[in-house]
Amino acid sequence: MERRGTAAVVLLAVAALAAAEAQLSPAFYDAICPALQPTVRRGMAQAVQKEPRMGASILRLFFHDCFANSSDGSILLDDTPSFTGEKSAGPNANSVRGYEIIDGIKAQVDASCNATVSCADLGGPNWTVQLGRRDALTASPNVNLPSPLSSLPALLSSFRAKGLDARDLTTLSGAHTVGFARCSSFRAHVYNDTAVDSTFAAQLRAGVCPWTGGDGNLAPLELQGPNKFDNKFFRDLIARRVLLRSDQELFGGGAASSSTTDGIVRAYAANASLFADDFAAAMVKLGNLALTGSNGEIRLNCRRAN
Ligand code: HEM
Ligand SMILES: *[C@@H]1O[C@H](CO)[C@@H](O)[C@H](O)[C@H]1NC(C)=O
Ligand SMILES: *[C@@H]1O[C@H](CO)[C@@H](O)[C@H](O)[C@H]1NC(C)=O
Ligand SMILES: *[C@@H]1O[C@H](CO)[C@@H](O)[C@H](O)[C@H]1NC(C)=O
Ligand SMILES: *[C@@H]1O[C@H](CO)[C@@H](O)[C@H](O)[C@H]1NC(C)=O
Ligand SMILES: *[C@@H]1O[C@H](CO)[C@@H](O)[C@H](O)[C@H]1NC(C)=O
C-alpha cells in the first residue's frame, strides 16, 4: 500500500537503554523514556495519514540537518533578530517542511519524558536506530548541501567531506524515490540539458514547469509512486526520466559516472532488496554524524537553544 510504504520510510526510530557511556545506541532511551518509540511512531503515522508527502519531507529534513555540521537538530532553530539560522539558508528556505510535525511530537514525548529526548533524535527515520544524539547550541554557519545543478565530482566531494563514499551517495540519492520538487529546482534540467529523455522533458515544459512563472509548481521526484519507497527511481535514472540534473549525474555521464556510480545504479534497479538493505545502512551512517556525550544539550523547545 502506498501509504504504508511512506510510513515505513519515516516512522522514527526509537529505542533504548540509558547508555552508561553516552554514545549513540539503539537502546539509549530504553530506561529513561520507554514511551518514546510508540509516541514517535504514532505521531509520524498521524502526520503521514493527514498528508502522505510528510514522510518524504521529514526524511529530507533529517538529511539537511545531518549535512549542516552534524545530525544535531541545528536545522530546527528559528531565526531571531540577532541570529540567522539554517531555515533561511538557500537550500532550505521555502523548501524544507515538517518543522511543526517535529514540534508536535516533541511536545507529546516531553509530556511523558520531561525533556530527556533530544530534538535531533526525533528527526531520525525508522531505521536510524542509533539514538542518544545531543542538540546543537547554534545553527551551523554553512549548510554544506550540494545543489541540484551539481556535477558528479561536486556531489562526490561534498559527500566525501562527510565521510560518505560514491556508494553512499548513490544509495542515499535513492531517497528521491519519494517526495516532490519545485519547478525552480528542475527547470534548467528540462529546458537546457541533453541527458534527459526528450518526451519526459517536453511533458514537463508543457505542463507544470513553464519557462517563466510557476516556480513553486510541484512534480513527483519518482513518477510512478512519489509516496512509495521502492527502487523505481534507479530505473528512471537509466531511462533518463528524473527531475534533477544532480541525480542524472549518477548515471550515464560518460567516463566519470561509468567508473564510479553507473554499476551501482544498475544493481539497485535490478534488485530492490539490495537497495533497501544498503539504504538502511547508509541512513545509519548519515545519522552517526552526531553530537554525543556532554556536547550540546537537550533542548526544551526544538526551535531555540535553552
Ligand atoms: C545528493 C545530493 C542531493 C541533492 C542535490 C538534492 C536535492 C534535492 C532537491 C533540489 C529537492 C527538491 C526541493 C524543492 O524543490 O523544494 C529534493 C527533494 C528531496 N530530497 Fe534531496 N537531494 C540530495 C540528496 C538527498 C538525500 C541524501 C536525501 C535523504 C536521504 C534526500 C531526500 C529528499 C526527499 C525525501 C525530497 C522530497 C521532499 C519533499 O517532498 O518534501 N535528498 N532534493
Ligand atoms: C520500523 O523498524 C522496526 C524495527 O526494525 C520494525 O519492526 C517496524 O516494522 C518498522 N516500521 C515500519 C512501519 O516499517
Ligand atoms: C560542528 O561544529 C563545531 C564548531 O564549529 C565543531 O567543533 C565540530 O567538530 C563540528 N562537528 C562536526 C560533526 O562536524
Ligand atoms: C521536568 O523538567 C523541569 C524543567 O527542566 C524540572 O524543573 C522538573 O523538576 C522535571 N520533573 C521531573 C519529574 O523530572
Ligand atoms: C539555459 O542556458 C542558457 C544558455 O546557457 C542560459 O542563458 C539560461 O539561463 C539557461 N536556463 C536555465 C533555466 O537554466
Ligand atoms: C539481491 O540483494 C540481496 C541483498 O540484499 C541478495 O541477498 C540477493 O541475492 C540479491 N538477488 C539477486 C537476484 O541478485
Side-chain angles (χ1 to χ4, degrees):
M1 265 201 313
E2 300 250 314
R3 182 170 294 156
R4 271 259 263 334
T6 307
V9 177
V10 297
L11 279 191
L12 306 194
V14 175
L17 113 155
E21 304 302 334
Q23 293 297 320
L24 293 183
S25 151
F28 191 85
Y29 294 109
D30 275 357
I32 54 180
C33 182
L36 176 60
Q37 174 154 359
T39 307
V40 174
R41 278 183 200 289
R42 200 180 331 110
M44 272 315 297
Q46 281 166 359
V48 169
Q49 191 169 27
K50 225 162 126 192
E51 194 207 343
R53 183 183 172 197
M54 195 49 77
S57 300
I58 299 283
L59 178 60
R60 182 164 186 246
L61 188 154
F62 179 71
F63 165 55
H64 285 206
D65 187 29
C66 296
F67 256 53
N69 191 329
S70 77
S71 172
D72 55 10
S74 56
I75 193 175
L76 302 173
L77 294 167
D78 279 343
D79 290 354
T80 67
S82 59
F83 165 89
T84 304
E86 294 167 28
K87 287 178 180 178
S88 297
N92 295 335
N94 301 316
S95 181
V96 167
R97 41 206 304 284
Y99 300 113
E100 65 295 339
I101 302 298
I102 307 260
D103 291 340
I105 293 176
K106 168 77 169 166
Q108 287 170 22
V109 169
D110 280 353
S112 315
C113 302
N114 201 18
T116 52
V117 178
S118 68
C119 300
D121 277 343
L122 296 175
N126 192 39
W127 36 57
T128 309
V129 288
Q130 301 291 339
L131 295 169
R133 294 181 190 82
R134 306 274 294 176
D135 293 328
L137 302 174
T138 67
S140 180
N142 182 347
V143 294
N144 292 322
L145 287 161
S147 121
L149 304 179
S150 295
S151 65
L152 182 60
L155 294 168
L156 286 168
S157 82
S158 127
F159 273 62
R160 207 175 294 122
K162 298 289 171 186
L164 300 168
D165 63 17
R167 191 176 185 92
D168 297 320
L169 166 67
T170 312
T171 310
L172 290 170
S173 296
H176 292 165
T177 182
V178 292
F180 293 81
R182 293 166 301 157
C183 167
S184 56
S185 299
F186 60 81
R187 184 180 279 124
H189 185 52
V190 298
Y191 280 89
N192 270 5
D193 289 351
T194 49
V196 58
D197 176 80
S198 56
T199 309
F200 171 75
Q203 278 165 355
L204 289 159
R205 292 195 301 262
V208 297
C209 201
W211 175 247
T212 50
D215 283 8
N217 293 354
L218 295 174
L221 282 159
E222 201 281 295
L223 296 171
Q224 300 152 82
N227 298 323
K228 188 161 184 268
F229 200 89
D230 58 24
N231 67 336
K232 293 206 183 76
F233 169 77
F234 295 100
R235 299 183 190 180
D236 292 346
L237 273 181
I238 292 171
R240 294 190 167 81
R241 291 159 66 82
V242 295
L243 294 180
L244 306 182
R245 179 189 294 168
S246 51
D247 282 341
Q248 194 60 62
E249 284 284 305
L250 298 173
F251 186 83
S257 69
S258 62
S259 59
T260 43
T261 52
D262 278 6
I264 307 167
V265 168
R266 282 206 188 85
Y268 290 155
N271 187 339
S273 56
L274 178 65
F275 167 56
D277 290 352
D278 281 7
F279 189 79
M283 285 299 290
V284 172
K285 232 168 140 178
L286 180 62
N288 283 351
L289 303 165
L291 293 176
T292 56
S294 57
N295 296 314
E297 64 182 4
I298 302 295
R299 237 176 262 154
L300 295 172
N301 176 338
C302 292
R303 291 173 181 263
R304 49 178 184 268
N306 295 342

